[in-house]
Every structure is written in structure tokens, then in C-alpha cells.
Amino acid sequence: MTAQTAFTLINPQTKALAFKIFAFEDDCYFNQQKNYNYYSVILVTKGKGRLTADFSEYEFKENSLMSFSIYQPYMIKAEGEFKGLLVNFHPDFFCIHKHHNEVACNGVLFNNIYESPLVQLQEKEMDLLTGLVNQLKAEMQNTAVAQYELMIAYLKIFLINASRIKINTQLLKALGTEKEPFILKNLKDAIEEHYKSKHSPSDYADLLHISAKALNRISKTHFNKTLGHLIAERIVIEAKRELYLTAKPIKVIAYELGFNDEFYFSRFFKSNADVSPQIYRDTVGFARANA
């Protein structure tokens, strides 16, 4: 069996991981919960098993793409053979928020509470993405001029193609199934409009004139999450964006998200993100660097 190999770039200022490619040959690295301060994309070339992400479980097989946001908890348990590639990148290396107009992966690969983090790939799609990872790996070993710029360019191409594949897969899936129930669109619209002011499932049940029990059942059936988890994830995504992109005091972010008590907000954030708002800000880096 060939040795598992990792190629890593370290940020010289922070001494933290900037970018990493890891070729794995079993699930040892993944069979305990992971939640790191960088983005993760996994290409499963061989094997099948179960993925646990946030509060949901999914079955996967070979030729799968998985994508996880910063500090998004996940765990993988494979059944037998398990091979593939893991790509990690810190937002100091490449920020999906600041480059949203160039690489529209935010809300597609990352930070989409309504969709699974898992996508099934066709063989040609897997070949395309693994080829791009191999180009990134080759450039990591090349210390020539403009190495960083070329790596960013390859990463952008990788993320653009992965996003396109996921969008196309979702469209094909939608065409092959019954039309999404109208209540789902109303629920998503309501959460997007009111998540800063309405934090309780009963608030949305009242808005949509349906019982909280029935609305929670719909959420579990279609999003594989309880309504409470869905609302909490949406609040946390916005909190993370504010903590990273701005230098606003945590108290101000809490208030803007509908929390009058900063300490209650911090407990809420930690219970849903597994780290405190301050640790998130300190380890993700942008606000720290610009404070």
C-alpha cells in the first residue's frame, strides 16, 4: 500500500495552515469529528460509507464531492476501501466572500443550509476535478516566481467547476422529481427575511399559518434538519461572516442578529459552531489583521 501523502503551505505570518492537499487511503483521518478554521473539499475516488455533517447523516459512494465551511463539524465512516483527495484552504489564503463575484461558490459549495454538502459526480467530472488538484499539487512543489498567484488561479478554476457541477446536479435532480412544495419556498424566504429577528420555530409556523409540529416535519423531510437547527445555522452563517469580514465588537454583531445579551449570543454561537465567537475571529484572521 502506498503511503498517504500531504502537501502543505504554512502562512509565514501566523504559522498556521494556509493550503493543504492530502491523498488518503483509509478513513482514519475522518472517523472522528473534524471542525477546522479552514474550508475543506473532499473528492472520494474509491469507497462508500456514511457522512455526518452538522446534525444530518448522508450515504456516499465513490466519485463523490463533499464540501465543508469553516468550523463546520463533519465525520466520515467508510465501509472497507476508502481513497481520495482532501483540499483545505484558509480564508487568509483565499477568501470566498471577497472573491464572490469571481468564484460564486459561497451559498453553493459552502454556507448553504438547505442543501446537502455531498454531490455525486460523473466519471468525467471527477477526472476534471482530480486533474485540477494534481495541477495544484505540482505547483505547490514549484518555487518559481508567482507560485502563489498561479495556485490561486488553479484554486479558482477548481471551485468554479465544482460549483457548476453541484448546480447542474441540483437542477437535474429537481427536473427528475416532483416540484418543490410551495411551503418550502415560503419557509426559505421567511428564514432569509426574518432570521435576525425571529429565532423560534413557532415564529415561522405563525408566519406561514401552519402548526410548528407540521413545519418541523416538513423541514426534517426535505432538509434533513429540524427547523430549529435550520434557523440556528442561518444565524451562525451570518455571525461568521460578520466576525470574519468586519471588526465590529461581538456585542454589536449579537445585537444586529437579534440578541440583546452578548453572553447568551456567545453561548448560542459556541453550541452551534463548537468554538466561541472570539476564538472564531482570532483563528480565522481577517478582522484580527485589520483591527
Side-chain angles (χ1 to χ4, degrees), residues 103-169:
V103 183
C105 58
N106 188 37
V108 180
L109 295 179
F110 310 109
N111 298 324
N112 187 331
I113 63 172
Y114 307 109
E115 297 289 346
S116 164
L118 179 65
V119 185
Q120 190 63 43
L121 304 178
Q122 295 177 23
E123 200 165 320
K124 63 179 182 180
E125 294 169 337
M126 177 60 83
D127 289 344
L128 169 65
L129 295 180
T130 52
L132 288 165
V133 174
N134 288 330
Q135 287 179 296
L136 273 161
K137 195 190 299 180
E139 193 55 36
M140 287 178 81
Q141 299 169 81
N142 179 7
T143 54
V145 66
Q147 178 198 34
Y148 171 86
E149 286 75 12
L150 196 50
M151 283 186 64
I152 291 292
Y154 282 138
L155 180 59
K156 284 182 180 179
I157 295 167
F158 175 85
L159 294 173
I160 288 167
N161 278 285
S163 298
R164 285 177 176 176
I165 289 166
K166 187 165 186 178
I167 290 166
N168 288 338
T169 303

Coordinates of all heavy atoms in Angstrom, one line a residue, residues 103-169:
V103 N -15.7 33.9 -8.1 CA -16.0 32.5 -7.8 C -17.2 32.4 -6.9 O -17.2 32.5 -5.7 CB -14.8 31.9 -7.0 CG1 -15.0 30.4 -6.8 CG2 -13.4 32.1 -7.7
A104 N -18.3 32.1 -7.5 CA -19.6 32.1 -6.8 C -19.9 30.8 -6.1 O -20.9 30.1 -6.3 CB -20.7 32.4 -7.8
C105 N -18.9 30.4 -5.2 CA -19.1 29.1 -4.5 C -19.7 29.3 -3.2 O -20.2 28.3 -2.6 CB -17.7 28.4 -4.3 SG -16.5 29.4 -3.4
N106 N -19.8 30.5 -2.6 CA -20.5 30.8 -1.4 C -22.0 30.6 -1.6 O -22.5 31.3 -2.5 CB -20.1 32.1 -0.8 CG -20.7 32.3 0.6 OD1 -20.7 31.4 1.4 ND2 -21.1 33.5 0.9
G107 N -22.6 29.8 -0.8 CA -24.0 29.5 -1.0 C -24.3 28.3 -1.9 O -25.4 27.9 -2.1
V108 N -23.2 27.8 -2.5 CA -23.3 26.6 -3.4 C -22.5 25.5 -2.7 O -23.1 24.5 -2.2 CB -22.8 26.9 -4.8 CG1 -22.9 25.6 -5.7 CG2 -23.6 28.0 -5.4
L109 N -21.2 25.6 -2.7 CA -20.4 24.6 -2.1 C -20.4 24.8 -0.6 O -20.3 23.9 0.2 CB -18.9 24.7 -2.6 CG -18.6 24.3 -4.0 CD1 -17.1 24.5 -4.3 CD2 -19.1 22.9 -4.4
F110 N -20.4 26.1 -0.2 CA -20.2 26.4 1.3 C -21.4 27.3 1.7 O -22.0 28.0 0.9 CB -18.9 27.2 1.5 CG -17.7 26.5 0.9 CD1 -17.1 27.0 -0.2 CD2 -17.2 25.3 1.5 CE1 -16.0 26.4 -0.7 CE2 -16.1 24.7 0.9 CZ -15.5 25.2 -0.2
N111 N -21.7 27.2 3.0 CA -22.7 28.0 3.6 C -24.1 28.0 3.0 O -24.8 29.0 2.8 CB -22.2 29.5 3.6 CG -21.0 29.7 4.4 OD1 -20.8 29.0 5.5 ND2 -20.1 30.5 4.0
N112 N -24.5 26.8 2.6 CA -25.9 26.6 2.1 C -26.6 25.6 3.0 O -26.4 24.4 3.0 CB -25.9 26.0 0.7 CG -27.3 26.0 0.1 OD1 -28.3 25.8 0.8 ND2 -27.4 26.1 -1.2
I113 N -27.5 26.2 3.9 CA -28.1 25.3 4.9 C -29.2 24.4 4.4 O -29.7 23.5 5.0 CB -28.7 26.2 6.0 CG1 -29.8 27.1 5.5 CG2 -27.6 27.0 6.7 CD1 -30.5 27.9 6.6
Y114 N -29.6 24.7 3.1 CA -30.8 24.0 2.5 C -30.4 22.8 1.7 O -31.2 22.0 1.3 CB -31.6 24.9 1.7 CG -32.1 26.2 2.4 CD1 -31.5 27.4 2.1 CD2 -33.0 26.1 3.5 CE1 -31.9 28.6 2.8 CE2 -33.3 27.3 4.2 CZ -32.8 28.5 3.9 OH -33.1 29.6 4.6
E115 N -29.1 22.7 1.4 CA -28.6 21.6 0.5 C -27.6 20.7 1.2 O -26.9 21.1 2.1 CB -28.0 22.2 -0.8 CG -28.9 23.0 -1.6 CD -29.9 22.2 -2.4 OE1 -29.8 20.9 -2.4 OE2 -30.9 22.8 -2.9
S116 N -27.5 19.5 0.8 CA -26.5 18.5 1.3 C -25.1 19.0 0.9 O -24.9 19.5 -0.2 CB -26.8 17.1 0.7 OG -25.7 16.3 0.9
P117 N -24.1 18.7 1.8 CA -22.7 19.0 1.4 C -22.1 18.0 0.4 O -21.0 18.1 0.0 CB -22.0 18.9 2.7 CG -22.8 18.0 3.6 CD -24.2 18.2 3.1
L118 N -22.9 17.0 0.0 CA -22.5 15.9 -0.8 C -23.1 15.9 -2.2 O -24.2 16.2 -2.4 CB -23.0 14.6 0.0 CG -22.7 13.2 -0.6 CD1 -21.2 13.0 -0.6 CD2 -23.4 12.2 0.2
V119 N -22.2 15.7 -3.2 CA -22.6 15.7 -4.6 C -22.1 14.4 -5.2 O -20.9 14.1 -5.1 CB -22.2 16.9 -5.4 CG1 -22.7 16.9 -6.8 CG2 -22.5 18.2 -4.7
Q120 N -22.9 13.7 -6.0 CA -22.4 12.6 -6.8 C -21.9 13.1 -8.1 O -22.6 13.8 -8.8 CB -23.5 11.6 -7.0 CG -23.1 10.2 -7.6 CD -22.2 9.5 -6.7 OE1 -22.4 9.4 -5.5 NE2 -21.1 8.9 -7.2
L121 N -20.7 12.6 -8.5 CA -20.0 13.1 -9.7 C -20.1 12.0 -10.8 O -20.0 10.8 -10.5 CB -18.5 13.4 -9.5 CG -18.2 14.5 -8.4 CD1 -16.7 14.7 -8.3 CD2 -18.9 15.8 -8.7
Q122 N -20.1 12.4 -12.0 CA -19.9 11.5 -13.1 C -18.4 11.3 -13.3 O -17.6 12.2 -12.8 CB -20.4 12.1 -14.4 CG -21.9 12.3 -14.4 CD -22.5 12.9 -15.7 OE1 -21.8 12.9 -16.7 NE2 -23.6 13.5 -15.6
E123 N -18.0 10.3 -13.9 CA -16.5 10.0 -14.0 C -15.7 11.1 -14.7 O -14.6 11.5 -14.2 CB -16.3 8.7 -14.8 CG -15.0 8.0 -14.5 CD -14.9 6.6 -15.0 OE1 -15.9 5.8 -14.9 OE2 -13.8 6.2 -15.5
K124 N -16.3 11.7 -15.7 CA -15.5 12.8 -16.4 C -15.4 14.0 -15.5 O -14.4 14.8 -15.5 CB -16.2 13.2 -17.7 CG -17.6 13.7 -17.6 CD -18.2 14.1 -19.0 CE -19.6 14.7 -18.8 NZ -20.2 15.0 -20.1
E125 N -16.4 14.3 -14.6 CA -16.4 15.4 -13.7 C -15.3 15.1 -12.6 O -14.6 16.0 -12.3 CB -17.8 15.6 -13.0 CG -18.8 16.0 -14.0 CD -20.2 16.0 -13.4 OE1 -20.5 15.2 -12.5 OE2 -21.1 16.7 -13.9
M126 N -15.2 13.9 -12.1 CA -14.2 13.5 -11.2 C -12.8 13.7 -11.8 O -11.9 14.2 -11.2 CB -14.4 12.1 -10.7 CG -13.3 11.6 -9.7 SD -13.2 12.6 -8.2 CE -14.4 11.9 -7.2
D127 N -12.7 13.2 -13.1 CA -11.4 13.4 -13.8 C -11.0 14.8 -13.9 O -9.8 15.2 -13.7 CB -11.5 12.8 -15.2 CG -11.5 11.2 -15.1 OD1 -11.2 10.7 -14.1 OD2 -11.9 10.7 -16.2
L128 N -11.9 15.7 -14.2 CA -11.7 17.2 -14.3 C -11.2 17.7 -13.0 O -10.1 18.4 -12.9 CB -12.9 17.9 -14.7 CG -12.9 19.4 -14.6 CD1 -11.9 20.0 -15.6 CD2 -14.3 20.0 -14.9
L129 N -11.9 17.4 -11.9 CA -11.5 18.0 -10.6 C -10.2 17.4 -10.0 O -9.4 18.1 -9.4 CB -12.7 17.8 -9.6 CG -14.0 18.5 -9.9 CD1 -15.0 18.2 -8.8 CD2 -13.8 20.0 -10.0
T130 N -10.0 16.1 -10.2 CA -8.8 15.5 -9.7 C -7.6 16.0 -10.5 O -6.5 16.2 -10.0 CB -8.8 14.0 -9.7 OG1 -9.2 13.5 -11.0 CG2 -9.7 13.4 -8.7
G131 N -7.8 16.3 -11.8 CA -6.7 16.8 -12.6 C -6.3 18.2 -12.1 O -5.1 18.6 -12.1
L132 N -7.3 19.0 -11.7 CA -7.0 20.4 -11.2 C -6.3 20.3 -9.9 O -5.4 21.1 -9.6 CB -8.3 21.2 -11.1 CG -8.9 21.6 -12.4 CD1 -10.4 22.1 -12.2 CD2 -8.1 22.7 -13.0
V133 N -6.7 19.3 -9.0 CA -6.0 19.1 -7.8 C -4.5 18.7 -8.0 O -3.6 19.2 -7.4 CB -6.7 18.1 -6.9 CG1 -5.8 17.8 -5.6 CG2 -8.0 18.6 -6.5
N134 N -4.3 17.9 -9.0 CA -2.9 17.5 -9.4 C -2.1 18.6 -9.9 O -0.9 18.7 -9.6 CB -3.0 16.3 -10.4 CG -3.4 15.0 -9.7 OD1 -3.2 14.8 -8.5 ND2 -4.0 14.1 -10.5
Q135 N -2.7 19.6 -10.6 CA -2.0 20.8 -11.1 C -1.7 21.6 -9.9 O -0.6 22.2 -9.8 CB -2.9 21.6 -12.0 CG -3.0 20.9 -13.4 CD -3.9 21.7 -14.3 OE1 -5.1 21.8 -14.1 NE2 -3.3 22.2 -15.4
L136 N -2.6 21.8 -8.9 CA -2.3 22.5 -7.7 C -1.1 21.8 -6.9 O -0.2 22.5 -6.4 CB -3.5 22.5 -6.8 CG -4.5 23.6 -7.0 CD1 -5.9 23.3 -6.4 CD2 -4.0 24.9 -6.4
K137 N -1.1 20.5 -6.8 CA -0.1 19.8 -6.1 C 1.3 20.0 -6.8 O 2.3 20.2 -6.1 CB -0.4 18.3 -6.2 CG 0.4 17.4 -5.2 CD 0.2 15.9 -5.4 CE -1.2 15.5 -5.3 NZ -1.4 14.1 -5.5
A138 N 1.3 20.0 -8.1 CA 2.5 20.2 -8.9 C 3.1 21.6 -8.6 O 4.3 21.9 -8.4 CB 2.3 20.0 -10.4
E139 N 2.1 22.6 -8.6 CA 2.6 24.0 -8.4 C 3.1 24.2 -6.9 O 3.9 25.0 -6.7 CB 1.4 24.9 -8.7 CG 1.8 26.4 -8.8 CD 2.9 26.7 -9.8 OE1 2.9 26.0 -10.9 OE2 3.7 27.6 -9.6
M140 N 2.5 23.5 -6.0 CA 3.0 23.6 -4.6 C 4.5 23.2 -4.5 O 5.2 23.6 -3.6 CB 2.1 22.7 -3.7 CG 0.8 23.2 -3.4 SD -0.2 22.1 -2.3 CE 0.4 22.6 -0.7
Q141 N 4.9 22.3 -5.4 CA 6.3 21.8 -5.3 C 7.2 22.6 -6.2 O 8.4 22.4 -6.3 CB 6.3 20.3 -5.8 CG 5.5 19.4 -4.8 CD 5.3 18.0 -5.4 OE1 6.2 17.2 -5.3 NE2 4.2 17.8 -6.0
N142 N 6.6 23.7 -6.8 CA 7.4 24.6 -7.7 C 7.6 25.9 -7.1 O 6.6 26.7 -6.9 CB 6.6 24.7 -9.0 CG 7.3 25.6 -10.1 OD1 8.4 26.0 -9.8 ND2 6.6 25.9 -11.2
T143 N 8.8 26.2 -6.7 CA 9.0 27.5 -6.0 C 9.4 28.7 -7.0 O 10.0 29.7 -6.6 CB 10.2 27.3 -5.0 OG1 11.3 26.8 -5.7 CG2 9.8 26.4 -3.9
A144 N 9.0 28.5 -8.2 CA 9.3 29.6 -9.2 C 8.5 30.8 -8.9 O 7.6 30.9 -8.1 CB 8.9 29.0 -10.6
V145 N 8.8 31.9 -9.7 CA 8.1 33.2 -9.5 C 6.6 33.0 -9.7 O 6.1 32.2 -10.5 CB 8.7 34.2 -10.5 CG1 8.4 33.8 -11.9 CG2 8.2 35.6 -10.2
A146 N 5.8 33.8 -8.9 CA 4.4 33.9 -9.0 C 3.7 32.6 -8.6 O 2.6 32.3 -9.1 CB 3.9 34.4 -10.3
Q147 N 4.3 31.8 -7.8 CA 3.7 30.5 -7.4 C 2.4 30.7 -6.7 O 1.4 30.0 -7.0 CB 4.7 29.8 -6.4 CG 4.1 28.4 -5.9 CD 4.8 28.0 -4.6 OE1 5.2 28.8 -3.8 NE2 5.0 26.7 -4.5
Y148 N 2.3 31.6 -5.8 CA 1.1 31.9 -5.1 C 0.0 32.3 -6.0 O -1.2 31.8 -6.0 CB 1.3 33.0 -4.0 CG 0.1 33.5 -3.4 CD1 -0.4 32.9 -2.2 CD2 -0.6 34.7 -3.8 CE1 -1.6 33.4 -1.6 CE2 -1.8 35.1 -3.2 CZ -2.2 34.5 -2.1 OH -3.4 35.0 -1.5
E149 N 0.2 33.2 -7.0 CA -0.8 33.7 -7.9 C -1.3 32.5 -8.8 O -2.5 32.4 -9.1 CB -0.2 34.8 -8.8 CG 0.0 36.1 -8.1 CD 1.2 36.2 -7.2 OE1 2.0 35.2 -7.2 OE2 1.2 37.1 -6.4
L150 N -0.4 31.6 -9.2 CA -0.8 30.5 -10.0 C -1.7 29.5 -9.2 O -2.7 29.0 -9.7 CB 0.4 29.8 -10.7 CG 0.1 28.9 -11.9 CD1 -0.7 29.6 -12.9 CD2 1.4 28.4 -12.5
M151 N -1.3 29.3 -8.0 CA -2.1 28.4 -7.1 C -3.5 29.0 -6.9 O -4.5 28.2 -7.0 CB -1.4 28.2 -5.8 CG -0.2 27.3 -5.8 SD 0.4 27.0 -4.2 CE -1.0 26.2 -3.4
I152 N -3.6 30.3 -6.7 CA -4.9 30.9 -6.5 C -5.7 30.7 -7.8 O -6.9 30.5 -7.8 CB -4.8 32.4 -6.2 CG1 -4.2 32.6 -4.8 CG2 -6.1 33.2 -6.3 CD1 -5.1 32.2 -3.7
A153 N -5.1 30.9 -8.9 CA -5.8 30.7 -10.2 C -6.3 29.3 -10.4 O -7.5 29.1 -10.8 CB -4.9 31.1 -11.4
Y154 N -5.5 28.3 -10.1 CA -5.9 26.9 -10.2 C -7.1 26.6 -9.2 O -8.0 25.9 -9.5 CB -4.8 26.0 -9.9 CG -3.8 25.8 -11.0 CD1 -2.5 25.7 -10.8 CD2 -4.3 25.6 -12.3 CE1 -1.6 25.5 -11.9 CE2 -3.4 25.4 -13.4 CZ -2.1 25.4 -13.2 OH -1.2 25.2 -14.2
L155 N -7.0 27.2 -7.9 CA -8.0 27.0 -6.9 C -9.3 27.6 -7.4 O -10.4 27.0 -7.2 CB -7.6 27.6 -5.6 CG -8.6 27.5 -4.4 CD1 -8.9 26.0 -4.2 CD2 -8.1 28.1 -3.2
K156 N -9.2 28.8 -8.0 CA -10.5 29.5 -8.5 C -11.1 28.6 -9.6 O -12.3 28.4 -9.5 CB -10.1 30.8 -9.1 CG -9.9 31.9 -8.1 CD -9.6 33.2 -8.9 CE -9.3 34.4 -8.0 NZ -9.1 35.6 -8.7
I157 N -10.3 28.0 -10.5 CA -10.8 27.2 -11.6 C -11.5 25.9 -10.9 O -12.6 25.5 -11.4 CB -9.7 26.8 -12.6 CG1 -9.2 28.0 -13.3 CG2 -10.2 25.8 -13.6 CD1 -8.0 27.8 -14.1
F158 N -10.8 25.4 -9.9 CA -11.4 24.2 -9.2 C -12.7 24.5 -8.6 O -13.7 23.8 -8.8 CB -10.4 23.7 -8.2 CG -10.9 22.6 -7.3 CD1 -10.7 21.2 -7.8 CD2 -11.5 22.8 -6.1 CE1 -11.2 20.2 -7.0 CE2 -12.0 21.8 -5.3 CZ -11.8 20.5 -5.8
L159 N -12.8 25.6 -7.9 CA -14.0 26.0 -7.2 C -15.2 26.3 -8.1 O -16.3 26.0 -7.9 CB -13.8 27.1 -6.2 CG -12.8 26.8 -5.0 CD1 -12.5 28.1 -4.2 CD2 -13.5 25.7 -4.1
I160 N -14.8 27.0 -9.2 CA -15.8 27.4 -10.2 C -16.4 26.1 -10.8 O -17.6 25.9 -11.0 CB -15.2 28.3 -11.3 CG1 -15.0 29.7 -10.8 CG2 -16.2 28.3 -12.5 CD1 -14.1 30.5 -11.7
N161 N -15.6 25.1 -11.2 CA -16.0 23.9 -11.8 C -16.8 23.1 -10.8 O -17.9 22.5 -11.2 CB -14.9 23.1 -12.4 CG -14.4 23.6 -13.7 OD1 -15.1 23.3 -14.7 ND2 -13.3 24.3 -13.8
A162 N -16.4 23.0 -9.6 CA -17.1 22.2 -8.5 C -18.5 22.8 -8.3 O -19.5 22.1 -8.2 CB -16.3 22.2 -7.3
S163 N -18.6 24.2 -8.3 CA -19.8 24.9 -8.1 C -20.8 24.6 -9.3 O -22.0 24.4 -9.1 CB -19.6 26.4 -7.9 OG -18.9 26.7 -6.8
R164 N -20.2 24.7 -10.5 CA -21.1 24.4 -11.7 C -21.6 23.0 -11.7 O -22.8 22.8 -12.0 CB -20.2 24.6 -13.0 CG -19.9 26.0 -13.3 CD -19.0 26.1 -14.5 NE -18.8 27.5 -15.0 CZ -18.0 27.8 -16.0 NH1 -17.3 26.8 -16.6 NH2 -17.9 29.0 -16.4
I165 N -20.8 22.0 -11.3 CA -21.2 20.6 -11.2 C -22.3 20.5 -10.2 O -23.4 19.8 -10.5 CB -20.0 19.7 -10.9 CG1 -19.0 19.6 -12.0 CG2 -20.5 18.3 -10.5 CD1 -17.7 19.0 -11.7
K166 N -22.2 21.1 -9.0 CA -23.2 21.0 -8.0 C -24.5 21.6 -8.4 O -25.6 21.1 -8.2 CB -22.7 21.6 -6.7 CG -23.7 21.4 -5.5 CD -23.1 21.6 -4.2 CE -24.1 21.2 -3.1 NZ -23.5 21.4 -1.7
I167 N -24.4 22.8 -9.0 CA -25.6 23.5 -9.5 C -26.4 22.6 -10.6 O -27.6 22.5 -10.6 CB -25.3 24.9 -10.1 CG1 -24.9 25.8 -8.9 CG2 -26.5 25.5 -10.9 CD1 -24.2 27.1 -9.4
N168 N -25.6 22.1 -11.6 CA -26.2 21.3 -12.6 C -26.8 20.0 -12.0 O -27.9 19.6 -12.5 CB -25.1 20.9 -13.6 CG -24.7 22.1 -14.5 OD1 -25.5 23.0 -14.6 ND2 -23.5 22.0 -15.1
T169 N -26.1 19.4 -11.0 CA -26.7 18.2 -10.4 C -28.0 18.5 -9.7 O -29.0 17.7 -9.8 CB -25.7 17.6 -9.4 OG1 -24.4 17.4 -10.0 CG2 -26.2 16.4 -8.7

